[in-house]
Structure formats: C-alpha cells, structure tokens
Amino acid sequence: MISVIREKFSELGKREKFLAILGLIAVLGVLLSIATKVSLLHEDEDSLYRIAVVGPGSDQEPGIGRSIRQGVEYYAEIINGTGGIGGTSVAIDYYQDNNDPDTAREIAKAISADTRNRAVVGHWSSAAAIAAGEIYKASGIPLITSASLNPETIEANQWLFSILYNNRKQARFLANYGRNVLGQKLISVIYSSTDEGKSLEEDFA
C-alpha cells in the first residue's frame, strides 16, 4: 500500500506534489485539533463546578420551573463570562421533582452520589425541599431553595438556605396588615392541609 502511494506521488508534478503535501498537513491539523478538543473537553467536564437545578415539572408549574432555570442560567453566564470561579467554569444540570417529596428524595440521592456536584438550587415545593434537604445535609451539599419554609426547618439544617421570607414572617406581616392597615378585627383563614398551610395558619393565628 505504501509503495503504491509512493509510486503515485512520484508521478506527480512539482505543483501537484506541493498541493498534496499542503492537503496532508491540513488533514493532519484537523485530526489533531479534533483529538485535542475532545480530550480537553473531557478533562474540563470533570473539573467544572456543577450546580444541580431542581424544579417542578412542565405539567405542574411550567412558568416557575422555567423561571428558576433561566435565573440560574443567567447568573452562570455572568460568572463564566468573567472567568468563572478561580478560572473554573460553572455547569448546570437540570432535574424535575414534580413537587413530589418521594421524587425529590430520589433526585437528591442521585445528585449527592455525584461528587462533582457542588450545590443545589431549587425545589419549589416546601415538602419536596424538606425531604431532599435531609439527603443534602447528610452529604454536605448546600441547598438554596425558593420554597417558603418554617424557621424551625431552616434552623435544623445548616446546609439549607431559603431566599424567601419564612412562613412565620409572612403570616405575621399579613396579620399585622389586616388588623392595623385594613382595620379588620375579624378575619377568616382558609388554608391547605399541607405542612406549609398549617404552619401559615398557626403563625397567623
């Protein structure tokens, strides 16, 4: 095979030989570039700061899930655009817990099992955040949630951070507003039978 190629090459004129050599260099350059890119991407993938984002499914609350995802994406783009964290870029992985505590718990186990994950953002449902929070606590992974939680729940988990007012502050604000701003002395409270609903009702009362 090599002798055939050598013979064909010797039959070419100077111009054809020159073009053939340039073509060979170009092909080798492309192959080397692809090999280098693939190997570097593989190495980068293992060294990225991975953030897990968990939201409700598209069937439950599509606007909420999309807002959480877009918010994290936007901030990650800002971080990566300024050189990342100490020169390391941030990557995002997405999960859907459907606001279900059991599903949230299973997702939390999968996230905790991957040592590349540095933090979790999400869990819209209070029940899902509480269920998953116990898994993250045991694994030492910080959870930044947008769920409204009891202050006792937050205090009991040093790895759990809420970006919202807790239930007690919300209920006290509403009670104060109803009595002192609206001037109502008698207020009826309609609440759900969930832990969050009961907590809001008790704090309001």
Side-chain angles (χ1 to χ4, degrees), residues 2 8-9 27 33 36 48 66 68 81 86 115 121 133 145-146 150 164 180:
I2 296 176
K8 293 291 183 183
F9 185 76
V27 170
S33 176
T36 303
L48 294 175
R66 184 170 60 252
I68 295 173
T115 57
V121 177
T145 180
S146 51
N150 296 328
L164 298 178
N180 298 315

Side-chain angles (χ1 to χ4, degrees), residues 50-94:
R50 307 200 73 83
I51 306 295
V53 178
V54 188
S58 56
D59 295 336
Q60 283 74 30
E61 296 176 87
I64 297 298
R66 184 170 60 252
S67 295
I68 295 173
R69 176 172 178 163
Q70 289 177 342
V72 178
E73 280 181 343
Y74 176 70
Y75 199 70
E77 287 176 4
I78 294 175
I79 293 174
N80 292 337
T82 56
I85 302 174
T88 301
S89 297
V90 175
I92 303 170
D93 297 311
Y94 302 98

Side-chain angles (χ1 to χ4, degrees), residues 126-127 130 145 147-157 160 162 164-171 194-203:
S126 297
I130 292 171
T145 180
S148 179
L149 303 170
N150 296 328
E152 291 83 3
T153 301
I154 298 174
E155 292 170 2
N157 188 346
L160 175 60
S162 177
L164 298 178
Y165 289 111
N166 60 47
N167 288 352
R168 182 172 298 162
K169 289 182 178 179
Q170 291 186 83
T194 62
D195 291 338
E196 180 182 9
K198 292 176 182 177
S199 169
L200 285 168
E201 184 274 330
E202 292 171 358
D203 289 330

Side-chain angles (χ1 to χ4, degrees), residues 135-195:
I135 306 297
Y136 300 132
K137 177 182 177 180
S139 303
I141 298 178
L143 166 62
I144 303 172
T145 180
S146 51
S148 179
L149 303 170
N150 296 328
E152 291 83 3
T153 301
I154 298 174
E155 292 170 2
N157 188 346
Q158 69 272 27
W159 294 92
L160 175 60
F161 305 90
S162 177
I163 62 174
L164 298 178
Y165 289 111
N166 60 47
N167 288 352
R168 182 172 298 162
K169 289 182 178 179
Q170 291 186 83
R172 287 179 175 177
F173 174 83
L174 290 173
N176 179 69
Y177 190 88
R179 177 66 183 88
N180 298 315
V181 177
L182 300 179
Q184 299 297 319
K185 294 183 179 181
L186 179 62
I187 299 177
S188 298
V189 179
I190 302 174
Y191 64 95
S192 64
S193 59
T194 62
D195 291 338

